[in-house]
């Protein structure tokens, strides 16, 4: 399925593995030509700034494993982040589901839809 991109235009450097699967993006560092931050499909940095080849290698090492791990989602009005799993990642949105039994405001499995790029609201557990 094709989706119109919402990924910022300056993330023009897609990084794919050998089978053409998109692993993430290389986000150029302002005021540092040739330096990039490798980011996930939904915009979470996978490390600090580095030269292009190093950033590509970081994406290769991460693969798509980050899609299978648990994440912490910060919600407005809730003091602690809740544990979620990624359900779907597209260039427009990230869908995550609640797996946090301590979060009583939403049923287990409730889907939260986040706009891409996700900035500051989602962190690895």
């Amino acid at each position: 399925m094709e989706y119109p991109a919402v990924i910022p235009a300056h993330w023009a450097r897609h990084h794919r593995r050998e089978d053409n699967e998109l692993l993430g993006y290389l986000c150029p560092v302002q005021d540092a030509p040739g330096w990039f931050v490798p980011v996930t499909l939904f915009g979470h940095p996978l490390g600090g700034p580095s030269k292009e080849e190093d950033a590509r290698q970081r994406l290769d090492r991460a693969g798509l494993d980050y899609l299978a791990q648990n994440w912490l989602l910060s919600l407005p009005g809730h003091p602690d982040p809740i544990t979620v799993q990624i359900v779907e990642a597209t260039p427009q949105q990230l869908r995550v589901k609640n797996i946090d039994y301590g979060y009583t405001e939403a049923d287990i499995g409730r889907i939260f839809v986040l706009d891409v790029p996700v900035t500051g609201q989602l962190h690895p557990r």
Side-chain angles (χ1 to χ4, degrees):
M1 175 179 267
E2 282 287 319
Y3 295 100
V6 177
I7 295 300
H10 68 280
W11 292 8
R13 294 183 189 239
H14 300 74
H15 183 67
R16 298 178 181 275
R17 54 181 194 209
E18 290 178 6
D19 65 357
N20 207 33
E21 184 73 36
L22 180 63
L23 296 178
Y25 302 91
L26 300 176
C27 182
V29 177
Q30 289 183 350
D31 302 324
W35 287 75
F36 298 87
V37 174
V39 298
T40 65
L41 296 172
F42 48 89
H44 182 77
L46 291 173
S50 59
K51 291 288 190 180
E52 183 173 356
E53 186 56 32
D54 292 336
R56 288 184 183 282
Q57 288 175 4
R58 198 169 296 157
L59 280 167
D60 285 333
R61 283 192 305 272
L64 292 173
D65 290 348
Y66 61 81
L67 294 174
Q69 72 186 63
N70 292 343
W71 290 78
L72 295 174
L73 175 65
S74 297
L75 295 171
H78 193 268
D80 299 313
I82 66 167
T83 305
V84 296
Q85 287 179 334
I86 295 171
V87 174
E88 178 184 30
T90 71
Q92 300 80 26
Q93 66 184 16
L94 180 69
R95 293 169 28 101
V96 297
K97 71 177 177 178
N98 175 29
I99 61 167
D100 194 325
Y101 286 98
Y103 182 55
T104 58
E105 288 86 15
D107 295 333
I108 293 295
R110 175 176 172 197
I111 301 294
F112 296 91
V113 179
L114 310 171
D115 290 332
V116 170
V118 175
T119 55
Q121 194 176 6
L122 195 67
H123 303 280
R125 182 169 169 94

